[in-house]
Amino acid sequence: MKLLYLSSFIFLLLVSTKASADAIDNVANLIKQGNAKEIAKLFAPNVDITLMEDENTYPREKAATILEDFFAKNKPQSIKLLHKVNSSSSITLGVYILTTTDKKEYRIAFTLKNINGSMSIVEFRIEDEKVK
């Protein structure tokens, strides 16, 4: 019986970690596509947005507009993983380098948090990439 509980616990742990990794990868793919509308669907009701030096907390709709404006001016060409933390089933983090069509590079970091059973973006940062 103890073996059954242990194997069930391990299975649940693996499933929740896999779901977190899938959420990070999903956001990364949406960033690569420049798909602000789909990213916005993953925003929490209020999200901390940092765009270069401007940092504030915005409602989902305003955050979506900010992201749409960024992608309209900076068309994504490629994205490279720098760091991924998914050791917790309730909060995960992804950090990527986005290269645009005009060869600018930005560091994009986002935090996903489990809110009412689904992973939502609670923080989204876009900064100039300083390390080349």
Side-chain angles (χ1 to χ4, degrees), residues 118-131:
S118 66
M119 297 303 281
S120 298
I121 299 171
V122 294
E123 180 183 29
F124 201 92
R125 302 177 66 85
I126 302 173
E127 301 169 316
D128 283 322
E129 174 57 17
K130 294 174 178 53
V131 179

Side-chain angles (χ1 to χ4, degrees), residues 81-109:
L81 173 67
L82 283 184
H83 192 66
K84 184 190 293 189
V85 178
N86 59 357
S87 56
S88 168
S89 63
S90 62
I91 193 160
T92 60
L93 170 74
V95 181
Y96 292 83
I97 298 295
L98 171 70
T99 304
T100 64
T101 54
D102 59 355
K103 304 298 182 207
K104 292 181 183 173
E105 289 189 336
Y106 298 97
R107 181 178 296 244
I108 297 182

Side-chain angles (χ1 to χ4, degrees), residues 62-82:
K62 178 64 177 168
T65 302
I66 291 168
L67 200 54
E68 285 174 9
D69 290 346
F70 174 80
F71 285 135
K73 295 173 186 167
N74 302 281
K75 303 280 186 225
Q77 179 178 15
S78 65
I79 191 167
K80 180 175 80 171
L81 173 67
L82 283 184

Side-chain angles (χ1 to χ4, degrees), residues 23-33 79 96 110:
I24 293 171
D25 294 340
N26 181 40
V27 174
N29 286 329
L30 294 172
I31 291 169
K32 184 177 180 179
Q33 297 167 18
I79 191 167
Y96 292 83
F110 54 89

